[in-house]
Structure formats: structure tokens, C-alpha cells
Amino acid sequence: MRSRLKSTAAVLVMTGGLLVVAPRIAHAEWPTFDAITHFLLQQAQNAMTSAIDKVYDNVTNIGNLISDRLTGVGNQLNDRLGDGFTQTANYQRAQIGAVQQIADASNMANARVARDLRNTEIRDEHTASPQACLALDSGQSTNQSQIQGARIATAIADVMDARGEGGPNTPAWFGQAQSMTASNATHLSRYCDQDEAAAGLCTLSPRPNADVRAVSFVREVYADGDQVNAANDYATNVVQPIVPAALRGDHLTSVEGQDAAARRRAYDARMSLSRSVFSHQIALQAPTVTLNEAQQAQLRARGVEPPAAGSWMQVLALEVERRFSDVGWAASLQAMTPAAVNREIAQQLALSNYLALASLRQQMQSTAVDAANLAVDVERGFTGFTPMPSPTIAVN
């Protein structure tokens, strides 16, 4: 293409030179015809026309080539842009699908977590806490110790009622002097004090005067059988240290004896009532049940060595104190679920009801004793019947 442009330029230069060199047109009345000049001009014109046509063709070809190239580039650009947009769209669709999968997986994971959390809550709500188990163990120990205590109270009553009534083979059955001698012998053999030992009546006891000291009776639990006997002997000295002689033989057949027997039955009934109050308390403080590990640990936390067996009073006191001052119970209460707290409240209400029932029984005993004292006071204030002469009945 460059060679064509050079040829065209050369023709133009030659034509220009000829025009410059050519002689000036003569001014004449008639035109002068120069064949050579006309030929040259004709050739120059043809060359110019040819050159212009070639330039036009070249320009047209260049335009077509550029148009073709631009068209190709446009097509390629369209293809590339189409591919890019298609790929972008594919990426977006894939991204949307991935986001959907992530959302689905997240929802599934959250649903599983929520389900596991709910299952855990249900499990925790229905699982008894350790404190509930301890309360149940303590309740069973309390009931067991009460049952055993009732048996002990019955056993004490069988022995002491027979003694107070002057039953066969008891000291009072033989006489009041024998009853007094038996009472002194029991004291000297078990609770000899220094003065009695110095007088040569007995050997000093490791528990001097334990049968007259309230500390022998008022305890949370008696350590052994000797302490139970000391509490029982204290109750005997409080209620009936000396038993009157029993009425038997001719005493019961006479009129005076029958009157004395009626008064003796009233005396024995009141003594039995008084004695039963002490016997009941002794039974509730007697060692009747084995303490579990938690109760033993609670006693050690007090600084007390656990006894071989616990009493109703001790087991109940430990259960009350556990909910009042035990650090483990307080910590467990803070971590309890709402259902566990409700169960704990229900157990405490049950314990309150149990204590109220025990208090009611004690009040019933106290009321019975008050009624007996009232009867004694009324009897003391009653002057009795005025003696009347026996009527004389005439025999028809």
C-alpha cells in the first residue's frame, strides 16, 4: 500500500513540474492546439484519476479492513463479555445455591442445637437433684427412727407402768420399804457421787448424779445404752422415785381396800401419763437408725464425731440445719432448675407439715398432762360428801 502511495505522489509531482515548465498560453484570437501538451495533460489527468481511484480503493479497502477488524473485535468482545457475564451469572447462581446450602445447614444446626438444648432442659427438669435425694434419704431415716422410737417407748412403758402399779415381782409388790431400797440401790450402783463414796456406800461412778441432772435427759442423741438408762432413771426421779406398796390380799377384799384401790388406780393412771411424756422423749432421742454418709459429713462439719447410730431428734435436726446453714445445699440451690426449685419447695413444705404434726402430738401430750393436773386440783378442792346416817327400814 505504501508503494502505491509513493507512485501516486510521483505522478503528481511530474504533473506539477510540467505545468510549471510549460510555456505560457499565447493570447491569440484563435486557439492554438498543441497535441503533445494535450496528450500530456490527458495522461496526467488519467494518472490523476487512476491515482485517485487507487487511493479511493485503498481507502475503501482500509475502511473495509478496519470495519472487518472492528467487527471481529466486537464479535470477540461480545463473545468474551458474553462468556464473562455468563460466568458471572453462573458464579452468582452458584453463590446463591451455596448461600442457600449454608442457610439450610445453619438452620439444621440451630434446630439441632435448640432440640438438644430442649432435651437437656427436659432431662434437667425431670432429673432429681442430689439435694432431693438427700432429703428423701433423710425423710426415710426420720420415719424409721420414729418407728423404732415408738417401739422403745412401748418397751419403757411396759416396764415402768408395771413398776408404778406395784406389779408382781416388782419392789413395790413386796412393800414401800422395798421400793425405797431398790431406788437407792439403783442410784448407788450407777450414779455414786463423791460424798456417797466417801461414806463408804459405793464406788465413785464415772457419771455421778446423772439420774438427777437434766443434761442426762435433754440430748439430741444418746451415745449408748448407758445414757438411755441415765435418761430413764432421771425421768423416774422426776415422776415417781418411790412407788407406794401394792394393794393385794386382804387389802382388796375390804370396803376400805376397795376405796383405796379406786384411788390407787387414779394415782397409777396419772403417773403413767406423766411417765409416758418422758418415755416418749427418751425414745425420740435414743440411737435407733444408722446415719448415712451425708449426715455423718454434716456432723463432722460441726466438729462432732458421728455416733454409731442417730436418733429421731438428731436426724430431724440435721435435715433442718442442712437447709439453713449447709454451704453445699445453698450452692446447689443456686444451680437448680425451676422444676428442681419447685420440688425443693414442696419437700420443705412436707418437712414443715411433718414438724407441725410432731408439734401437734407434743401439744396433745401437754394438754393431757394439763387435764390430769386440773383433775388433781379439782379433787384437792373437793370436800367430799357429808356423812349421812344409814336409813332404818321397818320390816312389814
Side-chain angles (χ1 to χ4, degrees), residues 131-132 323 329 333 336 340-348:
Q131 298 300 325
R323 289 185 169 92
W329 180 84
L333 182 63
M336 286 182 184
V341 173
N342 290 334
R343 285 192 291 269
E344 187 67 21
I345 293 174
Q347 288 175 343
Q348 293 211 46

Side-chain angles (χ1 to χ4, degrees), residues 128-360:
S129 66
Q131 298 300 325
C133 296
L134 291 178
L136 181 59
D137 292 342
S138 178
Q140 292 177 346
S141 298
T142 302
N143 287 336
Q144 185 64 26
S145 61
Q146 184 180 13
I147 293 172
Q148 297 297 330
R151 294 174 179 174
I152 292 176
T154 301
I156 294 175
D158 291 340
V159 175
M160 302 311 298
D161 285 345
R163 171 186 177 273
E165 296 167 4
N169 298 323
T170 62
W173 189 80
F174 298 99
Q176 184 170 344
Q178 287 80 355
S179 176
M180 182 181 298
T181 301
S183 177
N184 289 330
T186 300
H187 171 79
L188 294 175
S189 64
R190 297 178 179 177
Y191 314 108
C192 180
D193 60 15
Q194 294 182 354
D195 293 336
E196 293 166 341
L201 298 176
C202 55
T203 303
L204 182 62
S205 171
R207 293 179 297 276
N209 289 332
D211 58 340
V212 295
R213 296 178 179 177
V215 68
S216 300
F217 172 73
V218 182
R219 288 178 179 267
E220 190 174 85
V221 59
Y222 303 126
D224 49 28
D226 291 338
Q227 289 190 359
V228 174
N229 291 332
N232 188 60
D233 292 337
Y234 171 82
T236 299
N237 286 328
V238 171
V239 176
Q240 194 182 26
I242 300 174
V243 179
L247 299 176
R248 59 193 183 91
D250 295 339
H251 293 164
L252 296 175
T253 58
S254 63
V255 175
E256 293 80 1
Q258 293 178 1
D259 180 72
R263 297 180 182 276
R264 179 61 184 268
R265 286 193 295 273
Y267 169 83
D268 291 341
R270 291 163 184 165
M271 285 297 173
S272 178
L273 175 62
S274 300
R275 194 63 174 78
S276 67
V277 175
F278 282 88
S279 299
H280 179 70
Q281 294 188 25
I282 292 173
L284 295 182
Q285 296 168 173
T288 55
V289 65
T290 302
L291 299 177
N292 57 40
E293 295 181 359
Q295 292 167 336
Q296 293 179 6
Q298 192 173 349
L299 285 175
R300 292 190 182 95
R302 285 188 189 176
V304 178
E305 185 63 25
S311 66
W312 177 88
M313 181 65 70
Q314 186 179 45
V315 171
L316 195 58
L318 289 175
E319 182 62 13
V320 173
E321 292 175 1
R322 183 176 69 87
R323 289 185 169 92
F324 180 74
S325 61
D326 185 64
V327 177
W329 180 84
S332 298
L333 182 63
Q334 297 296 325
M336 286 182 184
T337 61
V341 173
N342 290 334
R343 285 192 291 269
E344 187 67 21
I345 293 174
Q347 288 175 343
Q348 293 211 46
L349 290 176
L351 179 60
S352 298
N353 292 336
Y354 183 83
L355 292 175
L357 179 60
S359 178
L360 175 62

Side-chain angles (χ1 to χ4, degrees), residues 9-142:
V11 173
L12 292 175
V13 172
M14 290 177 62
T15 305
L18 291 176
L19 291 177
V20 173
V21 176
R24 303 177 68 181
I25 301 174
H27 296 280
E29 295 178 359
W30 296 104
T32 301
F33 179 77
D34 188 350
I36 298 172
T37 301
H38 178 74
F39 175 78
L40 291 175
L41 289 174
Q42 187 67 37
Q43 293 295 322
Q45 183 178 2
N46 293 334
M48 181 66 69
T49 300
S50 177
I52 290 172
D53 292 337
K54 289 180 178 181
V55 170
Y56 176 78
D57 293 337
N58 291 332
V59 172
T60 301
N61 292 332
I62 292 173
N64 293 333
L65 180 60
I66 293 173
S67 178
D68 293 339
R69 295 293 177 86
L70 291 176
T71 300
V73 171
N75 292 334
Q76 292 179 358
L77 183 60
N78 289 334
D79 294 340
R80 296 295 184 270
L81 290 176
D83 294 340
F85 290 147
T86 301
Q87 188 66 26
T88 301
N90 293 334
Y91 287 157
Q92 290 179 351
R93 286 196 297 268
Q95 184 178 8
I96 292 173
V99 171
Q100 291 177 345
Q101 292 178 359
I102 293 173
D104 293 340
S106 177
N107 292 335
M108 291 178 62
N110 291 332
R112 179 169 295 180
V113 170
R115 183 194 64 185
D116 294 342
L117 180 61
R118 180 56 182 164
N119 291 338
T120 302
E121 291 177 352
I122 294 174
R123 179 202 64 193
D124 294 341
E125 294 289 337
H126 290 81
T127 302
S129 66
Q131 298 300 325
C133 296
L134 291 178
L136 181 59
D137 292 342
S138 178
Q140 292 177 346
S141 298
T142 302

